[in-house]
Amino acid sequence: MMTDVVESSGVPARHDDPAPADPIGTGPVDADPIGTGPVDVGPTDADPVDVAARTGTGDTAAAERIVAIRQRIDEIDRTLIALWQERAALSREVGVTRMASGGTRLVLSREREILERFRSELGADGTQLALLLLRAGRGPL
């Protein structure tokens, strides 16, 4: 099934326009397909089999779009990892502070609040994600 790519402005993307000039000579550069800046899609003489293997399509325009989207996904992943680590450290700090003041190791009402927030926003997968986040911050029970 073939679908049209729609830019964030709501206008269908045009892939028949020539790619902008490549400033370093490595291949075509996609003109900011998802608002993240120029995207190097590699040498223009790349083996079509390699491109298809890496992107799942032999269509050049689709492959360029996939590369750009994947670059943004990688940026999001890096941010998620950093946020995960920060959240876990903060959660551990809360636990240490609470226990140092004579409090309990866990506050189950707080954990239920977090579970419900993730479940209501993301469904069953949100519950699983929240359980992982809670474990990262407090350790296994």
Side-chain angles (χ1 to χ4, degrees):
M1 179 172 97
M2 193 72 162
T3 59
D4 291 331
V5 176
V6 177
E7 297 293 340
S8 59
S9 65
V11 177
R14 292 196 52 201
H15 295 290
D16 56 342
D17 292 335
D22 178 9
I24 57 173
T26 58
V29 176
D30 196 337
D32 201 12
I34 56 175
T36 59
V39 177
D40 179 10
V41 295
T44 55
D45 59 347
D47 181 359
V49 174
D50 288 343
V51 172
R54 288 184 302 130
T55 63
T57 182
D59 180 273
T60 303
E64 289 174 6
R65 180 74 177 149
I66 289 167
V67 168
I69 292 169
R70 285 181 177 170
Q71 285 179 339
R72 180 63 181 134
I73 287 170
D74 291 346
E75 290 173 12
I76 292 169
D77 288 350
R78 284 188 293 277
T79 301
L80 286 171
I81 290 166
L83 289 171
W84 179 286
Q85 292 169 332
E86 179 183 4
R87 187 192 189 289
L90 291 169
S91 183
R92 286 189 296 272
E93 184 178 346
V94 165
V96 167
T97 303
R98 185 175 48 244
M99 290 184 350
S101 68
T104 61
R105 178 170 179 251
L106 300 174
V107 177
L108 294 178
S109 61
R110 172 66 177 163
E111 290 201 0
R112 280 192 301 269
E113 175 187 321
I114 292 166
L115 286 166
E116 177 56 25
R117 180 180 326 128
F118 276 76
R119 187 208 56 77
S120 68
E121 292 292 324
L122 303 173
D125 288 341
T127 301
Q128 295 303 310
L129 177 58
L131 287 168
L132 291 169
L133 285 169
L134 291 168
R135 182 175 176 190
R138 65 161 151 66
L141 293 176

